[in-house]
Amino acid sequence: MSTRYRSFKGYKLHLGTTTEGIILSHVFMTANRHDAAVAPDVFSSLQGWRIELALGDAAYDSENVRKIAEDMGIFFVSPVNPRNQKSERKDAYGRVVPDFFKTGFGKWLLSLRANIQRVLN
């Protein structure tokens, strides 16, 4: 399928869910849009839910996504996307998060995301 400006094949569904897999928001986009570009739409649709912590996968690893979440009062955490780093990350997030996800609490958080994906699949 193609549009006037870009071609794309397929669609993606971005979901905001609880840890139990209950869907709070959704954004349906063409597959040619990067996940980090869609994150502001997902966060804005969560505004009425008093979300304090959001967990995403590495595709959402972006300083812009973290800033948008912070402006909304949401602490956003995602694994560092290896495709985003040409060399070792120098920012605090890039230095701290990989070690955080090795801790017991970090592993538990990642398991929540994996459980939600498993339920939705």
Side-chain angles (χ1 to χ4, degrees):
M1 182 171 238
S2 67
T3 66
R4 183 174 179 188
Y5 301 105
R6 296 184 183 111
S7 63
F8 62 93
K9 294 182 180 182
Y11 298 89
K12 287 184 183 179
L13 178 61
H14 301 266
L15 298 173
T17 71
T18 65
T19 55
E20 294 84 18
I22 298 169
I23 298 170
L24 301 177
S25 72
H26 69 283
V27 176
F28 191 67
M29 294 286 180
T30 57
N32 64 336
R33 296 232 9 231
H34 189 275
D35 292 350
V38 179
D41 297 328
V42 175
F43 285 137
S44 66
S45 64
L46 289 171
Q47 278 186 314
W49 291 98
R50 293 187 188 169
I51 304 296
E52 294 177 359
L53 173 71
L55 178 64
D57 64 20
Y60 294 96
D61 175 31
S62 160
E63 187 175 337
N64 186 45
V65 171
R66 289 190 297 279
K67 175 73 172 122
I68 291 167
E70 181 182 337
D71 290 345
M72 297 178 65
I74 299 171
F75 181 68
F76 179 72
V77 181
S78 70
V80 173
N81 189 341
R83 286 183 275 178
N84 287 348
Q85 61 188 62
K86 305 216 180 346
S87 62
E88 188 175 334
R89 293 260 301 254
K90 304 292 184 202
D91 63 330
Y93 189 85
R95 290 189 319 263
V96 172
V97 166
D99 291 334
F100 166 73
F101 281 122
K102 293 176 187 171
T103 68
F105 183 66
K107 288 177 184 177
W108 176 77
L109 274 179
L110 282 179
S111 75
L112 290 178
R113 191 185 63 76
N115 288 342
I116 292 168
Q117 275 188 301
R118 198 171 13 263
V119 167
L120 295 176
N121 283 338

